[in-house]
Amino acid sequence: MSGANMDKSITLPADEIFRNLENAKRFAIDIGGSLTKLAYYSTVQHKVAKVRSFDHTGKDADQALLYEISEQEEITARLHFIKFENTYIETCLDFIKDHLVNTDTKVIKATGGGAYKFKDLIEKKLGLKVDKEDEMTCLIKGCNFVLKNIPHEAFVYVKHADPEFRFQTTHPNIFPYLLVNIGSGVSIVKVETEDKFERIGGSSIGGGTFWGLGALLTKTKKFDELLQLAAKGQHTNVDMLVKDIYGGGYQILGLTGNLIASSFGKSSTVDKEFSKEDMAKSLLHMISNDIGQLACLYAKQHNLSQVYFGGFFIRGHPVTMHTITYSINFFSKGEVQALFLRHEGYLGAIGAFLKGAEEDNPNLYSWGENYAGSSGLMSTSPDVFPMQRSRSGTFDMLEMDRLERQLVNLPLLFDPSSYVPDTVDLTEDAMAREYWLTCFEDALEGVAKRAVASQPDAKDAADRAGKFQQKYWNKLQTLRHQPFAYGSLTVRSLLDTREHCLNEFNFPDPYSKVKQKENDIALKCYQKVIRSLDALGWEEKQFALVKGLLAGNVFDWGAKAVSEVLQTDPEFGFEEAKKKLQERPWLVDSYHGWIERLKGPPHKCALIFVDNSGIDIILGVFPFVRELLSRGTEVILACNSGPALNDVTFNESVIVTERIADMDTIIQSALQDERLILVQTGSSSPCLDLSRLDKGLALLVKERNTDLVIIEGMGRAIHTNYYAVLQCESLKLAVIKNSWLAERLGGKIFSVVFKYEMPPK
């Protein structure tokens, strides 16, 4: 079955569904009434880019280059979650059995009602002992995991809107919350901590009631078919409304005329046959309203504002999400929102897996969704999106990669619960969405060529680049039709998806050689730039430093306008970049406020998020850092943990800083005295999410009493964090190197944003 379709209705080969199965280490399974969710942990071997400094005093003395680049194999951990219909379970178990090569596991953790039914089959096929776990415990564990690790996990559902899904920013402290699990019945659970939860209520009237009564009323035995009937029905043909009794609204009690006064009320007074569709719709409203009112009462009684809904009754069905949303909104008078989860169907499997993996402490790590291996959330509304996906015969996948660093909030965020990293939500802005999707499509061939050029000795590089190109193209087409597939669609998520696809095909750092060359060129100019700055008067020097910072930021290979210049004009350098800059007044110009602040006492500590390699960090950022140090300000220099475009990585910054220190005593003594500290952000993105930063960086920021944050570059200061509010002073600066974006902001290409902000009082 390997490499072949399991069924003609399934478009993916089995080895693309059960990925990396030969390196699977641990399994869990959640079997419901109609769906099976499989979870497994695997070790993934992939290439990573490494840099090593040449010893220019010893054996490498003749080396002209600053450092050497190598690509090494590294092993990381990945979680795989696959969801499929129970009809495929035997075929899937056969495939797993045939591909289990390196596992030494003897047990498979199982949860869900079907775990008993399929216990013998699983043990026989896989030769693993089935170890049953409590269903509710698994559900809660899974819910905690996705809320903590997937930023755009929760959403509200808005019928007939474009898009239907409105994603919510997850509060940094996810507890306490209410989980309303609608299976056969309803369980309402208050979750207070990672391990503390309590079933505070429930009802026997749930999904099973809808299914059972629906089958009796319509003779339809399948749940999904019952919902399809309900979607076409008109409940007002069956339900008695307030206006049917009073001729209109009942104003004294505040009841509108269209409100349901009695579910199925007309069936006793009207002598006619009711359609299956109308009866299914009436039944759906009756049960949803009951559950909604119950959830509201418990939420208010326990003073909980976060209410998540899950269970097979929900399962991403627009019709049930809409009726639950309406009910909650009505009974709470808009005070409580019905929240749904992108990965709701996986919660039990995730929880069962976590129970079996406790010795590995997966909760000690941060995890990130791997967009390259995840199928994303799909709409099931054929009238809303043309690429409607049939529920039957589909396999959904979710992959989570273990991150090297534990990620936390930047302690300086003014209000972490309201922080939204991204400036524009492309899910909601159709014009911007069309522009950026086309932009990324147009750039795809160039990225593939750059990837091949980064590995001149690899014979299969062109083949892998072609596969990367196809995979990312397919992702972009999915996002055209389902912009909400991975949460809110943003420039950041488009960039991150591209990086994930590049890594998938072993292109860890396509710009490594470009960065190496640009760092070497810029270092040769460093002393000359410092001498010219030191010759200036104080005020003139401050402006020259800012102009240098902005000119350095021009050198961004991610911007088409710049990459075309850099490819066609090898002589384009620092001075040429300064001439490209917009003259003052800039598009956003707080320069006067910044200069006035510099006339006051020095800042205690500045945190600087650096953008590009080469001229940007060496001739733009470092002279600026040097000035801050000379004023008596400590500096934390934060660079990406992993590569993205031509952004400088932490390891590259260490080598560059050592070379600058050899030429500059101010930098050298600051390093020795730990007044200049280099840290990694925990990110491998050209953008910046201040709610997911390396824990070590966050601790250092607190420890040093940081009172100034500087964010430079389009990705970090425009596409993200433009509206970020901090507890301390901040400086956001960038050159707009995209003409469409510049025009949208009211400027032209190479317009300057220099945004100095004081914290709110």
Side-chain angles (χ1 to χ4, degrees), residues 546 550-551 580-589 718 732-736 747-755:
V546 166
L550 293 164
K580 286 267 185 193
L581 296 177
Q582 173 193 16
E583 293 292 322
R584 285 194 70 202
W586 294 321
L587 183 63
V588 177
D589 196 333
I718 305 294
K732 300 165 192 171
L733 62 157
V735 178
I736 311 292
K748 296 177 181 175
I749 194 159
F750 297 113
S751 286
V752 168
V753 169
F754 187 93
K755 198 177 185 190

Side-chain angles (χ1 to χ4, degrees), residues 461-479:
D463 180 53
R464 283 185 287 116
K467 288 176 180 174
F468 150 72
Q469 209 168 338
Q470 188 59 54
K471 182 146 204 170
Y472 189 54
W473 174 265
N474 291 343
K475 292 284 179 190
L476 291 173
Q477 302 325 300
T478 296
L479 290 165

